[in-house]
Amino acid sequence: MLLLLPPSETKRDGGDGPPLRFGQLSFPDLEPVRTALLDDLVELSADREASRKALGLSPKQDAEIERNAALRSAPTLPAIDRYTGVLYDALDVGSLRGAAAARARQRLMVGSALFGLLRAGDPVPAYRLSAAAKLPGSVPLTARWRPALEPLLADLAARELVVDLRSGSYAALGRVSAAVRVDVLAEHPDGRRTAVSHFNKAHKGRLARALATTRAEPSDTASVATVARRAGMRVERDGDDLVVVVPA
């Protein structure tokens, strides 16, 4: 089983790994797109106004532009330690030990607008590029990534169950039709259900932790649901997908 996580806008600073080397990343077939995007970001960082516009930043976020300027020389961290925020707080990989930690690092992957797809241990620098970014003079990120990502994801899904926890904009970079997708809905006292926004990430992080650490090897939606229920989550099947139901 593989768990496909979204990245986060917030990223941990620094690192103790050497500067980025594409040869150290998983999925080498993605290197041409990775290289082109990195070159675009470094070049863009020389123009602050253009960077702010393309990346959706305010002047108070100029440190993000400086991160991009240093992409070739900045220290690296394993991807699963680089990303921060609500989902990653709930996942809390740093608290795992022994076999549970090993299972998590084997199963977890991150979809990235800059790197396409990363395994948990892939060493990456801090950067700023969201799936919604519009780089100047460039085709959309979806058009750049889909031809490379979708065959790769299809191949992975043909060999292992993929649970896709990405948000819509990141899923659009490379769709995987065979994956188990997860939605989070809030149930109101009158029975109405509505989409969960911010806390969607926390519930997906909890689910990711349960799935990443289980000794079981889920092979379909039903077995994914079983693991989630054992972790105390209320889940329902929606065809081949899964719905996490939480109180409003």
Side-chain angles (χ1 to χ4, degrees):
M1 176 180 59
L2 297 171
L3 306 174
L4 184 48
L5 305 178
S8 60
E9 295 290 351
T10 56
K11 298 172 184 69
R12 190 167 283 109
D13 286 323
D16 54 10
L20 176 67
R21 297 291 182 267
F22 286 120
Q24 295 179 340
L25 302 183
S26 304
F27 314 115
D29 288 351
L30 302 180
E31 185 170 339
V33 184
R34 290 167 170 166
T35 302
L37 285 172
L38 184 138
D39 289 344
D40 288 349
L41 276 184
V42 172
E43 181 178 354
L44 179 64
S45 67
D47 185 333
R48 294 205 170 200
E49 286 298 329
S51 290
R52 291 170 189 158
K53 181 178 179 181
L55 304 176
L57 302 175
S58 72
K60 293 181 179 180
Q61 295 174 294
D62 279 355
E64 300 283 0
I65 301 172
E66 294 167 9
R67 280 180 166 181
N68 286 349
L71 275 170
R72 295 193 181 98
S73 59
T76 57
L77 278 174
I80 201 63
D81 300 320
R82 175 66 71 190
Y83 298 101
T84 61
V86 175
L87 186 150
Y88 289 88
D89 287 347
L91 174 59
D92 194 15
V93 164
S95 69
L96 300 177
R97 298 291 182 271
R103 283 192 292 270
R105 291 182 179 271
Q106 181 179 13
R107 290 169 174 170
L108 292 169
M109 303 190 300
V110 181
S112 163
L114 177 55
F115 298 109
L117 188 65
L118 296 166
R119 290 196 181 275
D122 287 348
V124 293
Y127 66 93
R128 181 63 176 244
L129 182 68
S130 72
K134 297 181 180 179
L135 300 181
S138 172
V139 296
L141 290 177
T142 50
R144 297 178 77 165
W145 273 123
R146 279 180 182 173
L149 266 181
E150 290 190 345
L152 170 61
L153 289 168
D155 181 62
L156 290 173
R159 292 185 279 117
E160 295 188 70
L161 178 70
V162 174
V163 180
D164 191 351
L165 298 169
R166 296 175 297 171
S167 56
S169 59
Y170 285 95
L173 297 179
R175 301 192 182 281
V176 49
S177 58
V180 175
R181 282 166 291 275
V182 177
D183 198 6
V184 182
L185 297 178
E187 188 170 76
H188 297 261
D190 62 4
R192 288 182 303 113
R193 289 181 174 181
T194 55
V196 175
S197 53
H198 179 71
F199 289 104
N200 175 299
K201 297 177 182 179
H203 296 296
K204 285 186 174 180
R206 287 181 57 210
L207 177 61
R209 183 180 176 91
L211 294 172
T213 58
T214 181
R215 292 187 179 91
E217 285 293 344
S219 58
D220 55 22
T221 307
S223 49
V224 170
T226 296
V227 173
R229 291 182 184 118
R230 286 174 180 166
M233 304 183 76
R234 180 184 171 193
V235 297
E236 299 175 358
R237 292 177 58 186
D238 180 11
D240 291 330
D241 298 331
L242 204 65
V243 177
V244 178
V245 183
V246 299

